Amino acid sequence: MASAYSKDLLLTMYRKMYLLRRFEERAGQQYTLGKIAGFCHLYIGQEAVAVGCNEAIRPDDYMLSAYRDHGQPLARGSDAGMIMAELFGRGTGYSKGKGGSMHIFDIEHHFYGGYGIVGGQIPLAAGMAFAARYRNEDRVTVCFFGDAAANQGAFHETFNMAQKWKLPVIYICENNRYGMGTAIARTSAVPEIHKRASAYGMRGEAVDGMDVLKMYEAVKDAAEYCRAGKGPVLMEANTYRFRGHSMADPANYRSKQEVEDERRNDPIPKLREFAMKQGFGLSDADFESIEEEEKRAVDAAVKFADESPEPSVDELWRDTIVEPGEEDVRPRERVLGVKVTNWPKYPSGQELKVTWDLEPRAEAEQADKKAGLSR
Amino acid sequence: MRDSSSEPTMPELMYREALNQALAEEMERDANVFLIGEEVGRYNGAFKVSQGLLDKFGSARIIDAPISELGFTGLSVGAAAVGLRPVVEMMTWNFAILAMDQIVNNAAKLRHMSGGQLRCPIVFRGPGGAGGRLSSQHSQSLEANYAHFPGLKVIAPATPADAKGMLKSAIRDENPVIMFEGERLYALKGEVPEGEHIVPLGKADVKREGTDVTLITWSRMYYFCMEAAEALAKEGISVEVLDLRTLRPLDEEAILASVRKTNRAVICEEGWALAGIGASVVDLIQSQAFDDLDAPVVRVTGLDVNMSYAANLENATQPDAPKIIAAVKKVLYREGA
Ligand SMILES: Cc1ncc(C[n+]2csc(CCOP(=O)(O)OP(=O)(O)O)c2C)c(N)n1
């Protein structure tokens, strides 16, 4: 029986999930060593969501997230060393050490940031999707947020606009069942987040977020739907974080049993098992060699971060206001000397033709007529 | 009616028409520019600033937003982060309080948080200030709130010509710009140069030269200051009126130059006294030009109370020419102060 998936795709997903896991384990360790400070929210357990999603979209689709934001850029292909350096507060980090764990940005890979205000990134994503339509670009935006963020006003205000204006944006609610220490059911009138889409006549669906292939299929389908101009999608990825909310959280609000049960659902061995059965002749050794490579990559990332200098103090005065003629920063070029070729360049006003009709005149007049109004 | 002499005259426009002209010209020039806000399109703007623009530019560029201040503000910030140049109309700044998270936590910080990777070229504009007996929720001067944040520029033009020239600059600026218009200024007329008229941000303007005292102000209070200056001139007191126009960054050079010339200063602002912008101006003057001062700097501000509906209480709450005149006399050690 031929597999529905290529060997390459399965191994790439395995590699990336393993990288995310290993990176976070090392980050947690470096936190306890005092190398990383502030809040540090680990993604362990949720890897299938970011990785399945990333493989289902295009490299130049926009993506953004909340403060649990190490996993998504790694899935996109960002440099592990530069993310680690950011966590260490070093000048070689993606944001020169000014953002830290909660604010990873890698524009070259179209990762538009981690945001620290719960739900604050939800409207931004609609804006990026809006821009794509405005410029007639065939691009979708993916926005990650937590279950607790679904109770913010930003969620509701944005969904109303996104659906009304048919914006090509996929909202992926990573429902790990807790907002900090509070179980979602304790604070939510409707804890099945995807059902809330119906309030806006919007497509909503639940996906097993512990299964990378289910995520991959669901996002692929949603992206097609968005690109066809059918509007936004709310996808609820049911997942679980194996660790506390942040490194400062011992997670006493959950039973040992609950965590143990969930750990049996680990998406990484699950994919390995699946891949072994696909008739590609894969052996344990194949996976072990991938793991070895990624371990070494993360070790190198830690070493790079550790050996990097702190930002110079005059950096304080940069990157707040754009001074006339000031260039934007291409971090990989600055830090690693890697030539950046896919830096986004937006059309100037003269080149741009806006052909989109947000509210077609005929439609609007129809609505007025219905309401008994004339213009 | 104009006389028909050959002297070239500038057209007189209302403040709102000057803004309209700036918007239309910038949207013509750059298709990345769009306007979004409540009632900006088919209703032609709550204060008619966007009159006629929907017909000219269509519904993708003149966008009627739902009453979702946080939502459409955040949407616009996202659009700016990937290269569009949104102009967000706040029906008034009082309602923008609901959107403050997006302005402050996102627009002002995108560049910083991304270590210089992102820029956020966006204008948030709308009327501020009191007048018209709208009571406390509709009568606030909130400039100081925004001027507090690094990453934002804050402007508040007083005249139609400045309104046009500064809005054009704001739209071309690569940073988030907060523009306070005067709710009571929209119908005010003044000469406005046609076409490419640019007033740079960050530059104050000596609107009236004088030698005895500097009156520092912006937006609607500028008119009370001019009224006070005219009245004082009749008593032989020569007042310089400095219109700050931009509140962040402050034009420190212009403030210090004027104070060094007149040796006395009065600051007039509509907003509250505590932690007001005037407090920062006083700090600047006392730390940089203390030796040039002949008297302590005096502030005339809105009273530190919420705005009342009753006409007499509303008037008593705000600065006016008599209060400014009294303040000027105080720094001059004149009678009655
Ligand atoms: C507006 C706001 N309120 C409160 C917080 C503090 N806080 C940080 S994370 C968090 C829980 C959010 O949980 P959820 O959205 O489900 O995401 P998860 O951490 O589960 O990924 C809270 C309350 C915040 N950062 N922002």
Side-chain angles (χ1 to χ4, degrees), chain B residues 147-174:
Chain B
H148 197 62
F149 291 102
L152 300 178
K153 294 186 178 181
V154 181
I155 62 177
T159 65
D162 284 350
K164 175 178 175 178
M166 293 180 78
L167 179 53
K168 285 171 80 84
S169 290
I171 291 171
R172 296 179 194 188
D173 202 279
E174 294 298 331

PDB file of all heavy atoms in Angstrom, chain B residues 147-174:
ATOM      1  N   ALA B 147       1.578  61.064  24.504  1.00  0.00           N
ATOM      2  CA  ALA B 147       2.918  61.664  24.462  1.00  0.00           C
ATOM      3  C   ALA B 147       3.854  60.943  25.423  1.00  0.00           C
ATOM      4  O   ALA B 147       5.070  61.043  25.320  1.00  0.00           O
ATOM      5  CB  ALA B 147       2.841  63.141  24.807  1.00  0.00           C
ATOM      6  N   HIS B 148       3.277  60.188  26.328  1.00  0.00           N
ATOM      7  CA  HIS B 148       4.083  59.474  27.313  1.00  0.00           C
ATOM      8  C   HIS B 148       4.859  58.309  26.703  1.00  0.00           C
ATOM      9  O   HIS B 148       5.846  57.875  27.268  1.00  0.00           O
ATOM     10  CB  HIS B 148       3.132  58.960  28.401  1.00  0.00           C
ATOM     11  CG  HIS B 148       3.814  58.557  29.658  1.00  0.00           C
ATOM     12  ND1 HIS B 148       4.533  59.440  30.428  1.00  0.00           N
ATOM     13  CD2 HIS B 148       3.915  57.366  30.284  1.00  0.00           C
ATOM     14  CE1 HIS B 148       5.024  58.815  31.469  1.00  0.00           C
ATOM     15  NE2 HIS B 148       4.675  57.542  31.405  1.00  0.00           N
ATOM     16  N   PHE B 149       4.415  57.820  25.542  1.00  0.00           N
ATOM     17  CA  PHE B 149       4.955  56.549  25.046  1.00  0.00           C
ATOM     18  C   PHE B 149       6.036  56.721  23.980  1.00  0.00           C
ATOM     19  O   PHE B 149       5.776  57.259  22.904  1.00  0.00           O
ATOM     20  CB  PHE B 149       3.835  55.699  24.443  1.00  0.00           C
ATOM     21  CG  PHE B 149       2.883  55.190  25.486  1.00  0.00           C
ATOM     22  CD1 PHE B 149       1.651  55.798  25.667  1.00  0.00           C
ATOM     23  CD2 PHE B 149       3.238  54.128  26.300  1.00  0.00           C
ATOM     24  CE1 PHE B 149       0.781  55.339  26.648  1.00  0.00           C
ATOM     25  CE2 PHE B 149       2.367  53.665  27.276  1.00  0.00           C
ATOM     26  CZ  PHE B 149       1.141  54.276  27.457  1.00  0.00           C
ATOM     27  N   PRO B 150       7.240  56.198  24.252  1.00  0.00           N
ATOM     28  CA  PRO B 150       8.250  56.138  23.195  1.00  0.00           C
ATOM     29  C   PRO B 150       7.707  55.275  22.060  1.00  0.00           C
ATOM     30  O   PRO B 150       7.000  54.297  22.308  1.00  0.00           O
ATOM     31  CB  PRO B 150       9.435  55.446  23.872  1.00  0.00           C
ATOM     32  CG  PRO B 150       9.172  55.517  25.335  1.00  0.00           C
ATOM     33  CD  PRO B 150       7.706  55.590  25.512  1.00  0.00           C
ATOM     34  N   GLY B 151       8.022  55.652  20.844  1.00  0.00           N
ATOM     35  CA  GLY B 151       7.528  54.876  19.703  1.00  0.00           C
ATOM     36  C   GLY B 151       6.362  55.550  19.023  1.00  0.00           C
ATOM     37  O   GLY B 151       5.992  55.169  17.919  1.00  0.00           O
ATOM     38  N   LEU B 152       5.771  56.543  19.671  1.00  0.00           N
ATOM     39  CA  LEU B 152       4.682  57.295  19.036  1.00  0.00           C
ATOM     40  C   LEU B 152       5.148  58.717  18.782  1.00  0.00           C
ATOM     41  O   LEU B 152       5.966  59.260  19.518  1.00  0.00           O
ATOM     42  CB  LEU B 152       3.455  57.340  19.952  1.00  0.00           C
ATOM     43  CG  LEU B 152       2.816  56.020  20.369  1.00  0.00           C
ATOM     44  CD1 LEU B 152       1.635  56.278  21.316  1.00  0.00           C
ATOM     45  CD2 LEU B 152       2.349  55.229  19.149  1.00  0.00           C
ATOM     46  N   LYS B 153       4.596  59.324  17.738  1.00  0.00           N
ATOM     47  CA  LYS B 153       4.703  60.774  17.573  1.00  0.00           C
ATOM     48  C   LYS B 153       3.324  61.346  17.829  1.00  0.00           C
ATOM     49  O   LYS B 153       2.325  60.713  17.464  1.00  0.00           O
ATOM     50  CB  LYS B 153       5.163  61.134  16.159  1.00  0.00           C
ATOM     51  CG  LYS B 153       6.587  60.688  15.854  1.00  0.00           C
ATOM     52  CD  LYS B 153       7.068  61.197  14.494  1.00  0.00           C
ATOM     53  CE  LYS B 153       8.518  60.774  14.261  1.00  0.00           C
ATOM     54  NZ  LYS B 153       9.015  61.272  12.948  1.00  0.00           N
ATOM     55  N   VAL B 154       3.255  62.508  18.438  1.00  0.00           N
ATOM     56  CA  VAL B 154       1.959  63.087  18.781  1.00  0.00           C
ATOM     57  C   VAL B 154       1.886  64.509  18.254  1.00  0.00           C
ATOM     58  O   VAL B 154       2.767  65.330  18.549  1.00  0.00           O
ATOM     59  CB  VAL B 154       1.731  63.082  20.309  1.00  0.00           C
ATOM     60  CG1 VAL B 154       0.371  63.667  20.649  1.00  0.00           C
ATOM     61  CG2 VAL B 154       1.849  61.661  20.865  1.00  0.00           C
ATOM     62  N   ILE B 155       0.868  64.799  17.470  1.00  0.00           N
ATOM     63  CA  ILE B 155       0.741  66.128  16.880  1.00  0.00           C
ATOM     64  C   ILE B 155      -0.646  66.705  17.136  1.00  0.00           C
ATOM     65  O   ILE B 155      -1.612  65.954  17.324  1.00  0.00           O
ATOM     66  CB  ILE B 155       1.026  66.111  15.358  1.00  0.00           C
ATOM     67  CG1 ILE B 155       0.015  65.232  14.614  1.00  0.00           C
ATOM     68  CG2 ILE B 155       2.431  65.587  15.101  1.00  0.00           C
ATOM     69  CD1 ILE B 155       0.190  65.235  13.093  1.00  0.00           C
ATOM     70  N   ALA B 156      -0.717  68.025  17.156  1.00  0.00           N
ATOM     71  CA  ALA B 156      -1.996  68.677  17.429  1.00  0.00           C
ATOM     72  C   ALA B 156      -2.011  70.049  16.769  1.00  0.00           C
ATOM     73  O   ALA B 156      -1.792  71.072  17.414  1.00  0.00           O
ATOM     74  CB  ALA B 156      -2.216  68.813  18.940  1.00  0.00           C
ATOM     75  N   PRO B 157      -2.256  70.098  15.460  1.00  0.00           N
ATOM     76  CA  PRO B 157      -2.220  71.376  14.750  1.00  0.00           C
ATOM     77  C   PRO B 157      -3.400  72.278  15.124  1.00  0.00           C
ATOM     78  O   PRO B 157      -4.494  71.781  15.391  1.00  0.00           O
ATOM     79  CB  PRO B 157      -2.307  70.962  13.278  1.00  0.00           C
ATOM     80  CG  PRO B 157      -2.951  69.619  13.286  1.00  0.00           C
ATOM     81  CD  PRO B 157      -2.539  68.960  14.565  1.00  0.00           C
ATOM     82  N   ALA B 158      -3.153  73.572  15.109  1.00  0.00           N
ATOM     83  CA  ALA B 158      -4.202  74.521  15.486  1.00  0.00           C
ATOM     84  C   ALA B 158      -4.891  75.138  14.271  1.00  0.00           C
ATOM     85  O   ALA B 158      -6.083  75.404  14.315  1.00  0.00           O
ATOM     86  CB  ALA B 158      -3.600  75.635  16.357  1.00  0.00           C
ATOM     87  N   THR B 159      -4.145  75.352  13.203  1.00  0.00           N
ATOM     88  CA  THR B 159      -4.714  76.096  12.080  1.00  0.00           C
ATOM     89  C   THR B 159      -5.008  75.166  10.897  1.00  0.00           C
ATOM     90  O   THR B 159      -4.400  74.098  10.789  1.00  0.00           O
ATOM     91  CB  THR B 159      -3.715  77.166  11.578  1.00  0.00           C
ATOM     92  OG1 THR B 159      -2.563  76.484  11.039  1.00  0.00           O
ATOM     93  CG2 THR B 159      -3.283  78.086  12.704  1.00  0.00           C
ATOM     94  N   PRO B 160      -5.900  75.554  10.004  1.00  0.00           N
ATOM     95  CA  PRO B 160      -6.171  74.720   8.828  1.00  0.00           C
ATOM     96  C   PRO B 160      -4.924  74.433   7.999  1.00  0.00           C
ATOM     97  O   PRO B 160      -4.734  73.301   7.550  1.00  0.00           O
ATOM     98  CB  PRO B 160      -7.187  75.562   8.039  1.00  0.00           C
ATOM     99  CG  PRO B 160      -7.911  76.352   9.087  1.00  0.00           C
ATOM    100  CD  PRO B 160      -6.856  76.685  10.104  1.00  0.00           C
ATOM    101  N   ALA B 161      -4.061  75.423   7.842  1.00  0.00           N
ATOM    102  CA  ALA B 161      -2.856  75.199   7.038  1.00  0.00           C
ATOM    103  C   ALA B 161      -1.959  74.152   7.691  1.00  0.00           C
ATOM    104  O   ALA B 161      -1.437  73.252   7.027  1.00  0.00           O
ATOM    105  CB  ALA B 161      -2.096  76.509   6.855  1.00  0.00           C
ATOM    106  N   ASP B 162      -1.782  74.261   9.004  1.00  0.00           N
ATOM    107  CA  ASP B 162      -0.972  73.262   9.706  1.00  0.00           C
ATOM    108  C   ASP B 162      -1.647  71.895   9.658  1.00  0.00           C
ATOM    109  O   ASP B 162      -0.980  70.866   9.558  1.00  0.00           O
ATOM    110  CB  ASP B 162      -0.759  73.674  11.164  1.00  0.00           C
ATOM    111  CG  ASP B 162       0.281  74.787  11.301  1.00  0.00           C
ATOM    112  OD1 ASP B 162       0.951  75.085  10.294  1.00  0.00           O
ATOM    113  OD2 ASP B 162       0.409  75.347  12.408  1.00  0.00           O
ATOM    114  N   ALA B 163      -2.972  71.908   9.756  1.00  0.00           N
ATOM    115  CA  ALA B 163      -3.695  70.630   9.738  1.00  0.00           C
ATOM    116  C   ALA B 163      -3.399  69.890   8.444  1.00  0.00           C
ATOM    117  O   ALA B 163      -3.098  68.694   8.443  1.00  0.00           O
ATOM    118  CB  ALA B 163      -5.193  70.864   9.905  1.00  0.00           C
ATOM    119  N   LYS B 164      -3.462  70.605   7.342  1.00  0.00           N
ATOM    120  CA  LYS B 164      -3.188  69.960   6.061  1.00  0.00           C
ATOM    121  C   LYS B 164      -1.728  69.500   5.979  1.00  0.00           C
ATOM    122  O   LYS B 164      -1.439  68.347   5.679  1.00  0.00           O
ATOM    123  CB  LYS B 164      -3.489  70.916   4.898  1.00  0.00           C
ATOM    124  CG  LYS B 164      -3.102  70.307   3.561  1.00  0.00           C
ATOM    125  CD  LYS B 164      -3.418  71.170   2.357  1.00  0.00           C
ATOM    126  CE  LYS B 164      -2.863  70.490   1.101  1.00  0.00           C
ATOM    127  NZ  LYS B 164      -3.149  71.229  -0.122  1.00  0.00           N
ATOM    128  N   GLY B 165      -0.838  70.436   6.264  1.00  0.00           N
ATOM    129  CA  GLY B 165       0.586  70.135   6.094  1.00  0.00           C
ATOM    130  C   GLY B 165       1.078  69.054   7.034  1.00  0.00           C
ATOM    131  O   GLY B 165       1.951  68.256   6.691  1.00  0.00           O
ATOM    132  N   MET B 166       0.523  69.009   8.224  1.00  0.00           N
ATOM    133  CA  MET B 166       0.986  68.009   9.195  1.00  0.00           C
ATOM    134  C   MET B 166       0.357  66.648   8.938  1.00  0.00           C
ATOM    135  O   MET B 166       0.993  65.620   9.161  1.00  0.00           O
ATOM    136  CB  MET B 166       0.717  68.486  10.616  1.00  0.00           C
ATOM    137  CG  MET B 166       1.574  69.696  10.959  1.00  0.00           C
ATOM    138  SD  MET B 166       1.327  70.322  12.622  1.00  0.00           S
ATOM    139  CE  MET B 166       2.288  69.125  13.557  1.00  0.00           C
ATOM    140  N   LEU B 167      -0.880  66.630   8.467  1.00  0.00           N
ATOM    141  CA  LEU B 167      -1.473  65.325   8.142  1.00  0.00           C
ATOM    142  C   LEU B 167      -0.715  64.683   6.974  1.00  0.00           C
ATOM    143  O   LEU B 167      -0.445  63.481   6.979  1.00  0.00           O
ATOM    144  CB  LEU B 167      -2.969  65.454   7.830  1.00  0.00           C
ATOM    145  CG  LEU B 167      -3.675  64.148   7.443  1.00  0.00           C
ATOM    146  CD1 LEU B 167      -3.457  63.045   8.483  1.00  0.00           C
ATOM    147  CD2 LEU B 167      -5.174  64.381   7.254  1.00  0.00           C
ATOM    148  N   LYS B 168      -0.325  65.510   6.025  1.00  0.00           N
ATOM    149  CA  LYS B 168       0.454  64.961   4.901  1.00  0.00           C
ATOM    150  C   LYS B 168       1.792  64.399   5.406  1.00  0.00           C
ATOM    151  O   LYS B 168       2.198  63.306   5.018  1.00  0.00           O
ATOM    152  CB  LYS B 168       0.676  66.032   3.825  1.00  0.00           C
ATOM    153  CG  LYS B 168      -0.581  66.301   2.988  1.00  0.00           C
ATOM    154  CD  LYS B 168      -0.420  67.503   2.065  1.00  0.00           C
ATOM    155  CE  LYS B 168       0.356  67.187   0.801  1.00  0.00           C
ATOM    156  NZ  LYS B 168      -0.491  66.592  -0.265  1.00  0.00           N
ATOM    157  N   SER B 169       2.432  65.129   6.283  1.00  0.00           N
ATOM    158  CA  SER B 169       3.691  64.617   6.852  1.00  0.00           C
ATOM    159  C   SER B 169       3.453  63.342   7.639  1.00  0.00           C
ATOM    160  O   SER B 169       4.251  62.406   7.583  1.00  0.00           O
ATOM    161  CB  SER B 169       4.318  65.654   7.800  1.00  0.00           C
ATOM    162  OG  SER B 169       4.788  66.750   7.077  1.00  0.00           O
ATOM    163  N   ALA B 170       2.363  63.319   8.388  1.00  0.00           N
ATOM    164  CA  ALA B 170       2.079  62.157   9.240  1.00  0.00           C
ATOM    165  C   ALA B 170       1.879  60.912   8.391  1.00  0.00           C
ATOM    166  O   ALA B 170       2.370  59.833   8.716  1.00  0.00           O
ATOM    167  CB  ALA B 170       0.852  62.422  10.104  1.00  0.00           C
ATOM    168  N   ILE B 171       1.163  61.073   7.285  1.00  0.00           N
ATOM    169  CA  ILE B 171       0.902  59.919   6.419  1.00  0.00           C
ATOM    170  C   ILE B 171       2.202  59.417   5.795  1.00  0.00           C
ATOM    171  O   ILE B 171       2.391  58.221   5.609  1.00  0.00           O
ATOM    172  CB  ILE B 171      -0.141  60.293   5.338  1.00  0.00           C
ATOM    173  CG1 ILE B 171      -1.514  60.495   5.985  1.00  0.00           C
ATOM    174  CG2 ILE B 171      -0.215  59.213   4.264  1.00  0.00           C
ATOM    175  CD1 ILE B 171      -2.580  61.064   5.065  1.00  0.00           C
ATOM    176  N   ARG B 172       3.121  60.322   5.528  1.00  0.00           N
ATOM    177  CA  ARG B 172       4.401  59.911   4.919  1.00  0.00           C
ATOM    178  C   ARG B 172       5.406  59.426   5.953  1.00  0.00           C
ATOM    179  O   ARG B 172       6.433  58.851   5.595  1.00  0.00           O
ATOM    180  CB  ARG B 172       5.002  61.081   4.141  1.00  0.00           C
ATOM    181  CG  ARG B 172       4.131  61.484   2.977  1.00  0.00           C
ATOM    182  CD  ARG B 172       4.713  62.651   2.209  1.00  0.00           C
ATOM    183  NE  ARG B 172       3.704  63.210   1.326  1.00  0.00           N
ATOM    184  CZ  ARG B 172       3.961  64.146   0.420  1.00  0.00           C
ATOM    185  NH1 ARG B 172       5.199  64.604   0.281  1.00  0.00           N
ATOM    186  NH2 ARG B 172       2.996  64.608  -0.340  1.00  0.00           N
ATOM    187  N   ASP B 173       5.128  59.673   7.215  1.00  0.00           N
ATOM    188  CA  ASP B 173       6.068  59.281   8.263  1.00  0.00           C
ATOM    189  C   ASP B 173       6.099  57.756   8.387  1.00  0.00           C
ATOM    190  O   ASP B 173       5.103  57.086   8.159  1.00  0.00           O
ATOM    191  CB  ASP B 173       5.656  59.908   9.600  1.00  0.00           C
ATOM    192  CG  ASP B 173       6.807  60.005  10.572  1.00  0.00           C
ATOM    193  OD1 ASP B 173       7.124  58.998  11.236  1.00  0.00           O
ATOM    194  OD2 ASP B 173       7.396  61.096  10.663  1.00  0.00           O
ATOM    195  N   GLU B 174       7.262  57.241   8.751  1.00  0.00           N
ATOM    196  CA  GLU B 174       7.417  55.782   8.869  1.00  0.00           C
ATOM    197  C   GLU B 174       7.008  55.267  10.250  1.00  0.00           C
ATOM    198  O   GLU B 174       7.146  54.087  10.536  1.00  0.00           O
ATOM    199  CB  GLU B 174       8.869  55.388   8.590  1.00  0.00           C
ATOM    200  CG  GLU B 174       9.321  55.636   7.159  1.00  0.00           C
ATOM    201  CD  GLU B 174       8.523  54.834   6.131  1.00  0.00           C
ATOM    202  OE1 GLU B 174       8.046  53.741   6.476  1.00  0.00           O
ATOM    203  OE2 GLU B 174       8.348  55.318   5.000  1.00  0.00           O
TER     204      GLU B 174
END
